[in-house]
Amino acid sequence: MPSALAPSFAKRREPRPPRRDTAGLAPLSSLVAPATRQPHADSRAPLVLDAAARLFCRQGFEGTSVRDIASAAGMLPGSLYCHFATKDDLLVAVYLRGVEQICAAVEAAVLPLADPWQRLEAACVAHLEAILRNDDYARVVVRVRPADVPAAADRLVAQRDRYEALWSALVAALPLARRTDRKALRLMLLGALNWAQNWYRADGTSSPRTLARQFTALVHQSAAHGPRTPESPTT
Amino acid sequence: MPSALAPSFAKRREPRPPRRDTAGLAPLSSLVAPATRQPHADSRAPLVLDAAARLFCRQGFEGTSVRDIASAAGMLPGSLYCHFATKDDLLVAVYLRGVEQICAAVEAAVLPLADPWQRLEAACVAHLEAILRNDDYARVVVRVRPADVPAAADRLVAQRDRYEALWSALVAALPLARRTDRKALRLMLLGALNWAQNWYRADGTSSPRTLARQFTALVHQSAAHGPRTPESPTT
Amino acid sequence: MPSALAPSFAKRREPRPPRRDTAGLAPLSSLVAPATRQPHADSRAPLVLDAAARLFCRQGFEGTSVRDIASAAGMLPGSLYCHFATKDDLLVAVYLRGVEQICAAVEAAVLPLADPWQRLEAACVAHLEAILRNDDYARVVVRVRPADVPAAADRLVAQRDRYEALWSALVAALPLARRTDRKALRLMLLGALNWAQNWYRADGTSSPRTLARQFTALVHQSAAHGPRTPESPTT
Amino acid sequence: MPSALAPSFAKRREPRPPRRDTAGLAPLSSLVAPATRQPHADSRAPLVLDAAARLFCRQGFEGTSVRDIASAAGMLPGSLYCHFATKDDLLVAVYLRGVEQICAAVEAAVLPLADPWQRLEAACVAHLEAILRNDDYARVVVRVRPADVPAAADRLVAQRDRYEALWSALVAALPLARRTDRKALRLMLLGALNWAQNWYRADGTSSPRTLARQFTALVHQSAAHGPRTPESPTT
DNA sequence: AATGAATGAGCGTTCATTCAT
DNA sequence: CATGAATGAACGCTCATTCAT
């Protein structure tokens, strides 16, 4: 499956065995379901998570130290470990929420629309706005390569796959010429959108919205009319 | 003389004047063809560069230590500094050669062709093969984000720009509907191709060549027929 | 809290605001009197400071590595950085306390005396005993040249100035011929005393006390009677 | 003897046995006796020595690397070793010449004078001008502590002693009260003069000449009239 | 005489993590 | 929950020196 992402070239910093593996999900529960707050449930875990998301998306994972995160959250480095077992787990938690938020954004954008191409375009816009604007969590999902954090790669990839499934459905709904490779279409669009993180500057002329529409348009008619696939050009 | 590669004895991290850009080809020739006449022509600098390229593209820049590179090149860490003043400079040298090689590959692929779309397709194929196959140097150019190495970012971006200029020319030659945003087309294609580094597995079913052709085809007819730009849909 | 001594987690060598000068006495008290109530009052910071003072005054600043200090304090090199952000800061902390101690010694020696020349002599004795005997902190103040540690030079000089002000007052009180240059007198005496660190051997015949008295005497009558200033020799 | 200077607290960088110990003197011969130049005797050794003197007196011995010296002399680090066996030897050679030059300066200044106090004053002026002005060699003699270079300390101290003998003679000639400690007088004067290197700024108001005269004057009448020695106050 | 490359040890500092309090 | 101190390994880099060419 081309969505697999983690060729383990890992090597350094073999983390001492991760103690309790379930810890990755534990802290999230408090985020997903703040629910009825316990009297002293004013946990500072969300603060930590916010700080981590902000720093990971600005400086990358390796470029951010736990000291950075701790001090941004107003605590000492050791205190982080009350909430997250390892730095990797912290990343997983950020990823988890990032995927949730980007999924929610795309689903909300797509919901009121019926036309498959319009739905695709709306998804592109929502996606690009999420990963270029201020959703630090979503940005991390695109910014941090699972392969760079071997011990957590599986969990990160699993999250990404969750999101890509959503796109597979969007693409599956398109009325395309029979020969069109729908997977290639999905990979191309998502790749083009994600890579924008590498060059897009907020002060530029075109907004994420415009950009997303341009990208969609570039594949629209082409795909719809049936592109000449390399193997069997229509001639 | 590999002057651009051996800025030895630079003293204290002064950013150093950006090294004359025309030297771009000089070091390569001496590396590719070590000749047989120099006094100490048995320099191991090329070995170091190769090791760096291999490790940078597999583990990233931050994920690779100078000790890793040195030991891969069969030397002691300190010995690296006979050839490169800093780790950053080593990256710049790899980038330099990576851009050279990918430029050469694309130009060679495009040269015998006249039709603009065929040329674009050939460029995509050459690009994708370079950054997915065994050209470690080219892969580093896509893999390592300039922003992650602030002290060298300018020099890295300058190299990338050199390459993108080549693409601008290719796209400028396409017969497109008047309203088509050629920059968006270029960014989309290159983004989609580059991002493939994040998911492509060599053991997959489709080759870089096939993939590149599919991507090209997806934008071909669309763009050629005049896509509906977001601002002014054709309908 | 030894705030001036534990500027922990300072991140990247930004010169850091020169730390409020009034903190001068705070850290000392906590070091001198570790008390018995703090939660982790068993801090080994004083140990580190002592080790640093001992090594700096014996081997100089550049001649002492942080590994030397750490191992003398029974810790690992990295552990030093729990207490001091940089080696420079460690030196500043030693200097701070050195100046405090030599100030205290001189003030205590001078306090019970009224006659200006007797006060000057007592100051010389106290100064010389401090910088030749076992007060490692005071010795460092004389031994380590501020100019050799550029990043900390300002802070070091500020400390020294604090001490010299004390001497200016002592010299100002002397009944001298009108033409006598009091600054020259101060610089001569202090220079002669400080330089003794370069040649004085504890096993010698004359004690610091004797030496200090000799130096004082050598300028006493001369100055008192009005020396021939160079500009206007008495002929 | 108070002129001894080297309490060996050495420890690090135990130099691999200095090969040929006589090398310390060898290079000097070419300096002392340039004599009739051999055809290709355009040795660059003097260049190296000059560079070393300049850097040692500005940055200290430990603060100067052989790379610094080599590059200042326009050569590569390895090339230095054609002229000097070790960095220490280079320092010894600088010291040697520094002492020669300061001796020569003092002797020349004193020569035309007969009065002992005038001779002392002239010596002070010559000494201070040498170590504060542009005689890099002389400045090194005062700037670099023999004890900081254990392997060469003996040779350095021997040079210094050579110079101090000259001062002993000057002081011995002074008509002083019987109880005056002539050694203390010498040490005081030289200490005060040498220490000026630590605070004197060229842009200041008083010249080295003025300063030297002030210092001399401060001890003149006092010593001449018979100071109250601490042991036996005149009262 | 000089070079360019290499050596091996050591530098100041940062890292993710642990743990008694 | 949080702290402050500590750990042990690794980081990028510089050092004086060597040596074949």
Side-chain angles (χ1 to χ4, degrees), chain C residues 26-159:
Chain C
L28 184 64
S29 62
S30 75
L31 292 169
V32 165
T36 47
R37 38 179 180 65
Q38 274 91 346
H40 316 266
D42 51 322
S43 169
R44 288 149 80 191
L47 248 154
V48 174
L49 209 59
D50 284 346
R54 189 168 66 255
L55 291 168
F56 286 160
C57 88
R58 277 164 180 62
Q59 308 169 192
F61 180 73
E62 299 214 284
T64 303
S65 74
V66 298
R67 282 165 176 81
D68 291 338
I69 300 169
S71 94
M75 2 171 52
L76 293 172
S79 305
L80 283 192
Y81 292 83
C82 298
H83 307 287
F84 301 92
T86 68
K87 192 191 176 193
D88 289 0
D89 282 356
L90 195 36
L91 174 63
V92 171
V94 169
Y95 237 76
L96 195 51
R97 183 154 150 197
V99 167
E100 275 163 22
Q101 293 185 180
I102 198 170
C103 278
V106 167
E107 279 166 350
V110 151
L111 189 63
L113 301 174
D115 175 65
W117 281 104
Q118 283 184 347
R119 286 166 62 88
L120 185 70
E121 185 187 80
C124 286
V125 169
H127 180 91
L128 204 54
E129 285 183 334
I131 68 167
L132 294 186
R133 297 284 191 201
N134 289 323
D135 186 346
D136 291 337
Y137 291 90
R139 293 172 73 172
V140 170
V141 176
V142 173
R143 165 76 200 259
V144 177
R145 301 167 34 109
D148 287 346
V149 193
D154 289 348
R155 285 175 285 165
L156 301 183
V157 169
Q159 295 303 321

Side-chain angles (χ1 to χ4, degrees), chain A residues 23-188:
Chain A
L25 295 178
L28 184 70
S29 64
S30 73
L31 296 167
V32 165
T36 57
R37 290 197 176 185
Q38 259 67 14
H40 56 284
D42 52 333
S43 169
R44 288 152 78 190
L47 247 153
V48 173
L49 209 59
D50 282 348
R54 188 168 67 255
L55 292 169
F56 285 160
C57 88
R58 277 163 181 63
Q59 308 168 196
F61 180 74
E62 299 215 286
T64 303
S65 72
V66 299
R67 277 167 174 78
D68 291 337
I69 300 169
S71 95
M75 0 172 53
L76 293 177
S79 308
L80 282 193
Y81 291 83
C82 300
H83 306 285
F84 300 92
T86 68
K87 191 190 176 193
D88 289 0
D89 284 352
L90 195 37
L91 174 63
V92 171
V94 169
Y95 237 77
L96 197 49
R97 183 154 149 196
V99 166
E100 273 164 21
Q101 292 185 182
I102 199 171
C103 278
V106 168
E107 279 166 348
V110 152
L111 190 62
L113 302 173
D115 175 64
W117 280 105
Q118 285 185 347
R119 288 167 60 89
L120 186 71
E121 186 188 80
C124 286
V125 169
H127 179 91
L128 203 54
E129 287 183 331
I131 68 168
L132 295 185
R133 297 285 190 198
N134 289 324
D135 185 346
D136 292 337
Y137 290 90
R139 292 172 75 171
V140 170
V141 177
V142 172
R143 165 78 200 257
V144 178
R145 302 168 34 110
D148 287 347
V149 194
D154 290 347
R155 285 176 284 167
L156 301 182
V157 170
Q159 295 302 323
R160 280 198 178 179
D161 286 349
R162 217 157 50 96
Y163 177 58
E164 299 214 11
L166 204 153
W167 276 78
S168 295
L170 285 171
V171 169
L174 295 175
L176 295 178
R178 208 174 322 151
R179 318 202 60 127
T180 305
D181 186 326
R182 291 172 188 271
K183 196 170 82 185
L185 175 55
R186 185 187 87 233
L187 290 168
M188 183 182 189

